[in-house]
Amino acid sequence: MRISYKYLGRYKEIAGVLIKYGFGFIVDRLNKDSMTAKVVGHGPSIKSKSMTTAQRLKCALEELGPTYIKIGQILSTRKDIFDDEIIGELSKLRDNVEMFDNDVAMTILDEELGFPRDQVFSYISQDPIAAASIGQVYEAKLLDGRKVVIKIQRPGIESTIKADISILKNLASSLNSIKKD
């Protein structure tokens, strides 16, 4: 696979996560130029060695972020492709995603509003009621008393998704050319 230098940092991150969870063979298979071998030299983590393949797959997708969590959510519906153990683990990506820091979330909310949140809300829950691939959800109450929910996007999500889409297009193109050979 030909690596785009525009997203080299993200390629390194993806390769590192795959290797960390014992999927280094994927990196080796796709990496004809041995670029990632030069930048990532670690093997599977000790923690991942005690995990099942299904658990390692779920953790890798979760650590890679929103684009890959979405892929995992889609794959969790494919009982025609995967066994029950993998389906069970990937299903956890639908409603059991790691939360990000609440202080970061409230800072994002203030920046998006353009003014202090107490000018709009009389109450916002201390902790999110849900976390998903794109963001997390908080219960809130407007100043007029109406109950609402607030969904706050994960920090840096736009640039991560843009890089991931470019990388996945590159991967698809590479796989297509392998298929033709």
Side-chain angles (χ1 to χ4, degrees), residues 121-178:
F121 303 102
S122 62
Y123 166 79
I124 299 176
S125 58
Q126 291 288 326
D127 296 309
I129 57 173
S133 58
I134 305 287
Q136 33 197 64
V137 180
Y138 293 83
E139 290 180 313
K141 191 181 284 188
L142 298 173
L143 293 176
D144 67 8
R146 287 182 289 164
K147 292 181 179 182
V148 296
V149 293
I150 305 167
K151 187 167 186 179
I152 301 173
Q153 284 187 351
R154 291 183 175 276
I157 192 171
E158 288 180 45
S159 60
T160 300
I161 290 175
K162 185 177 181 178
D164 288 344
I165 289 172
S166 176
I167 290 168
L168 289 169
K169 282 181 181 178
N170 189 7
L171 174 63
S173 176
S174 294
L175 291 175
N176 196 29
S177 66
I178 290 171

Side-chain angles (χ1 to χ4, degrees), residues 72-172:
Q73 291 169 340
I74 292 166
L75 294 177
S76 76
T77 66
R78 297 302 310 265
K79 293 181 179 186
D80 59 321
I81 299 174
F82 299 108
D83 64 30
D84 290 342
E85 184 183 6
I86 290 177
I87 295 295
E89 282 298 318
L90 294 180
S91 293
K92 293 176 184 177
L93 295 173
R94 290 191 220 153
D95 56 7
N96 190 15
V97 177
E98 190 173 320
M99 296 180 184
F100 60 94
D101 186 79
N102 288 330
D103 291 335
V104 171
M106 292 303 118
T107 299
I108 292 169
L109 177 61
D110 286 339
E111 288 171 359
E112 289 294 319
L113 287 172
F115 46 83
R117 60 186 171 272
D118 62 1
Q119 292 181 13
V120 178
F121 303 102
S122 62
Y123 166 79
I124 299 176
S125 58
Q126 291 288 326
D127 296 309
I129 57 173
S133 58
I134 305 287
Q136 33 197 64
V137 180
Y138 293 83
E139 290 180 313
K141 191 181 284 188
L142 298 173
L143 293 176
D144 67 8
R146 287 182 289 164
K147 292 181 179 182
V148 296
V149 293
I150 305 167
K151 187 167 186 179
I152 301 173
Q153 284 187 351
R154 291 183 175 276
I157 192 171
E158 288 180 45
S159 60
T160 300
I161 290 175
K162 185 177 181 178
D164 288 344
I165 289 172
S166 176
I167 290 168
L168 289 169
K169 282 181 181 178
N170 189 7
L171 174 63

